[in-house]
DNA sequence: GGGCTTATTGTACAATTAACACTATCTTTG
DNA sequence: CAAAGATAGTGTTAATTGTACAATAAGCCC
């Protein structure tokens, strides 16, 4: 083995994870941002992220950031892309591995901590300029999400354990920024046999209450084993 | 800004790019591997990759590796995933950003260089144990490729500038490991209007020669502008 | 009970996919 | 030069899936 020393010059970089945390609320897709309280980008909104520890796996680091910033464990998490333009960080060469996560907004209790003065949900359609290259990261993550929800039943991660078909449809509409046709959407999603009818209905609404469903995890596993392919479509463009 | 020094402890990692270079030849999907001639993993086959320079962009580093190892520029390149398990490299904390690239095998003139004693194409179905975690990287890249060719017309990057419809079909079949129905495949691909009929045919074959086509880049751009969606399917599972 | 609001459901037509077999054209060989 | 061998090329039908579209149902509020 060549002496480790001959490669010393390369061991001068740092890397971080940044988390695009998606939530769904008030019919809108939102992401959780923190407001920085130090330079660089003092006062800018930024993605929750931090340095990866020397002996920590990347996924674990992303999980840790989630735990520390929003107090959640075992959340849906997916690596998206790695950003490493030479000038993207003032401290030196910092490359960041971007993740996105899907959380149920009701479960989140954001805690201010350290660099995060404030933690807040922002509608994805209405983010100002973000710190560093975080605007670009969000954009890449959002595109990934739009694709992923077509072929994986991950939308449910954003909804409470019991939801209505209308909730589910609104979720897809918000993410894709399209309108879906109600009857066709229901027919399609019900035909997949992935929803458990909970046998109860909404309460406290001023109209006919909708039936509540949950995602049937076990059924999904079983279907996957026989080669089932989840797929929803955004429908014809006008 | 906090003193740069307070973060020094984090600036002790190195990162590399590793390239899964796909080619298509003899009806098989292949990847280009180098045989290492130093520890660790002396004599193992490995992905072409190297450290990223301090002031070099990630994509640029991947391009550089391609240029140095196989003498190609302007090749189709896509970032796949970043691997950073703490123990994955003996020299210290090394995370690697994996790319895949699609090349026309005839264009490639692999050059032995540095750590690469030997450079050789290997059928993806028949790789032994690879160095480091490169086996896993290949597997992730391959899955990504299988998905990507469904919705992007990138298969052409693997074929010579003039190819037959049968070539194209075999390419998809090799990547997906399925059989496609000839008439349906042709109908579908021709209906997309993405192929330019070159008006000439194969030569030197001992049977009826097939017409030659090329991918019509301009046409594709035009179609994209009007919202066209490329999509091919693997067909029904048996 | 009437009005308001959202939930729920079915049908007909269009488009796409899937299955399937024969003829055409070239080379090689006897 | 005829026959054999090999791959190219092509069209129709049935089944499935997608799309468009509107009336009735069920609860709440007054």
């Amino acid at each position: 083995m060549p002496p480790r020393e001959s490669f010393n010059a390369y061991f001068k970089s740092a890397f971080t994870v940044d988390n695009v945390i998606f939530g769904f609320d008030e019919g809108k897709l939102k992401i959780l941002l923190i407001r920085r309280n130090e330079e660089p980008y003092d006062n800018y909104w930024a993605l929750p992220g931090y340095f990866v520890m020397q002996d920590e796996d990347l996924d674990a680091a992303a999980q840790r950031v989630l735990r520390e910033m929003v107090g959640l464990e075992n959340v849906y998490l997916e690596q998206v892309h790695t950003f490493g333009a030479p000038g993207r960080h003032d401290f030196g060469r910092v490359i960041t591995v971007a993740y996105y996560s899907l959380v149920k907004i009701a479960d989140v209790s954001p805690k201010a901590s350290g660099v995060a003065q404030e933690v807040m949900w922002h509608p994805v359609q209405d983010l100002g300029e973000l710190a560093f290259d975080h605007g670009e990261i969000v954009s890449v993550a959002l595109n990934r999400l739009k694709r992923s929800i077509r072929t994986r039943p991950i939308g449910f991660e954003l909804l409470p354990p019991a939801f209505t078909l209308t909730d589910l449809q609104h979720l897809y509409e918000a993410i894709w920024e399209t309108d879906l046709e109600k009857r066709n959407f229901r027919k399609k999603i019900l035909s997949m046999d992935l929803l458990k009818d909970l046998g109860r209905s909404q309460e406290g609404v001023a109209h006919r209450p909708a039936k509540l469903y949950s995602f049937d995890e076990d059924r999904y596993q079983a279907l996957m084993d026989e080669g089932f392919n989840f797929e929803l479509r955004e429908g014809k463009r006008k």
Side-chain angles (χ1 to χ4, degrees), chain A residues 19-238:
Chain A
N19 231 311
V20 182
I21 305 173
F22 288 107
F24 181 66
D25 194 26
E26 300 168 325
K28 287 181 178 172
L29 184 67
K30 300 186 173 178
I31 68 176
L32 194 65
L33 297 177
I34 65 178
R35 194 199 283 272
R36 291 177 59 85
N37 60 3
E38 56 184 41
E39 293 292 343
Y41 292 100
D42 192 17
N43 262 331
Y44 278 69
W45 291 100
L47 294 173
Y50 203 69
F51 289 98
V52 176
M53 304 298 144
Q54 270 306 105
D55 58 351
E56 185 181 41
D57 195 25
L58 296 177
D59 290 6
Q63 289 283 5
R64 177 173 54 78
V65 167
L66 268 170
R67 189 170 55 244
E68 292 173 355
M69 301 255 186
V70 304
L72 275 184
E73 314 229 19
N74 294 323
V75 152
Y76 184 87
L77 199 61
E78 192 174 309
Q79 194 192 106
V80 174
H81 195 84
T82 295
F83 297 82
R88 64 175 292 281
H89 202 291
D90 303 78
F91 288 179
R93 189 71 195 270
V94 179
I95 67 173
T96 194
V97 183
Y99 283 78
Y100 78 75
S101 47
L102 306 179
V103 308
K104 307 182 202 308
I105 266 187
D107 294 350
V108 175
S109 51
K111 4 180 188 181
S113 77
V115 79
Q117 219 170 37
E118 256 184 279
V119 186
M120 212 172 84
W121 289 102
H122 295 243
V124 286
Q125 305 306 341
D126 184 26
L127 313 168
E129 189 195 348
L130 303 186
F132 304 104
D133 50 1
H134 291 186
E136 189 195 349
I137 295 178
V138 168
S139 151
V140 171
L142 184 55
N143 282 328
R144 178 71 69 91
L145 176 63
K146 287 180 183 178
R147 296 196 137 249
S148 294
I149 57 166
R150 288 178 54 144
T151 50
R152 294 179 180 188
I154 56 178
F156 308 102
E157 303 285 346
L158 290 163
L159 293 175
F163 51 84
T164 69
L165 291 179
T166 302
D167 290 339
L168 187 58
Q169 181 178 343
H170 288 337
L171 171 62
Y172 278 91
E173 289 175 335
I175 295 175
W176 284 336
E177 300 170 67
T178 51
D179 289 329
L180 301 173
E181 210 285 321
K182 184 159 59 166
R183 278 169 289 189
N184 295 337
F185 178 81
R186 286 164 174 251
K187 209 182 316 169
K188 185 72 199 266
I189 197 85
L190 287 175
S191 77
M192 288 180 179
D193 198 21
L194 285 174
L195 297 184
K196 226 182 317 196
D197 184 336
L198 294 177
R200 43 201 185 87
S201 298
Q202 285 179 308
E203 285 172 26
V205 289
H207 55 78
R208 173 175 179 178
K211 289 203 267 186
L212 291 170
Y213 294 86
S214 70
F215 176 60
D216 192 337
E217 196 87 41
D218 297 337
R219 183 84 186 112
Y220 176 59
Q221 286 305 330
L223 286 170
M224 287 299 282
D225 291 344
E226 24 182 291
F228 165 79
N229 273 320
F230 181 89
E231 183 164 0
L232 285 173
R233 289 163 176 260
E234 302 177 39
K236 273 246 167 359
R237 299 267 171 252
K238 304 258 164 86

